[in-house]
Amino acid sequence: METTVRVEDRHAHEIAMKTNIAEVVQYLQEVFGQKLTAFIAGASDAKTVGRWARGDNTPRTETEMRLRTAFQVFHLLQSHESAETIRAWFIGVNPHLDDDSPAEALSEDRFPQVIAAARTFIDGG
């Protein structure tokens, strides 16, 4: 199973790095909605997400990091779970993140912990 996860990790990472940021935001907005995407990004106004998705504005570097990591984790989980389950995983409390949600942890730049929690979820933990 570890080899499979590593291949999936590489694939999810590659997709997240090769997709332009407007497309990343469009995708997240579709699967999570504008408010949750804004929360993950740390944006105070959900309408900002729409501007990023249309390419009218570009997120700051630290915001882009949060968005790309959320996109990467979504793709990692997508090989095992439905979009509905993944959305629930992102908003639910997570014992591997000190009972914070992955969305909250991403908004706090806890990228390695969220990726590790996703891997644990894939492994049935």
Side-chain angles (χ1 to χ4, degrees), residues 39-111:
F39 177 74
I40 290 168
S44 57
D45 180 9
K47 291 180 182 179
T48 302
V49 172
R51 290 189 288 274
W52 293 333
R54 289 188 305 274
D56 296 343
N57 292 49
T58 306
R60 296 175 308 191
T61 301
E62 61 273 12
T63 303
E64 183 176 345
M65 289 170 59
R66 292 180 196 118
L67 293 165
R68 285 192 185 279
T69 304
F71 187 72
Q72 178 177 341
V73 170
F74 189 93
H75 280 282
L76 177 62
L77 293 171
Q78 191 175 34
S79 58
H80 298 275
E81 299 295 340
S82 69
E84 183 178 317
T85 297
I86 296 167
R87 186 178 191 287
W89 183 85
F90 265 88
I91 62 174
V93 295
N94 190 302
H96 303 287
L97 298 170
D98 297 324
D99 292 330
D100 289 334
S101 70
E104 184 175 0
L106 285 173
S107 75
E108 296 171 351
D109 301 335
R110 293 164 40 200
F111 309 129

Side-chain angles (χ1 to χ4, degrees), residues 26-48:
Q26 285 172 9
Y27 188 87
L28 293 175
Q29 183 176 250
E30 287 175 23
V31 296
F32 291 148
Q34 208 167 44
K35 287 183 181 181
L36 180 56
T37 302
F39 177 74
I40 290 168
S44 57
D45 180 9
K47 291 180 182 179
T48 302

Side-chain angles (χ1 to χ4, degrees), residues 16-30:
M17 298 306 111
K18 289 185 175 184
T19 305
N20 77 52
I21 192 61
E23 291 177 38
V24 166
V25 177
Q26 285 172 9
Y27 188 87
L28 293 175
Q29 183 176 250
E30 287 175 23

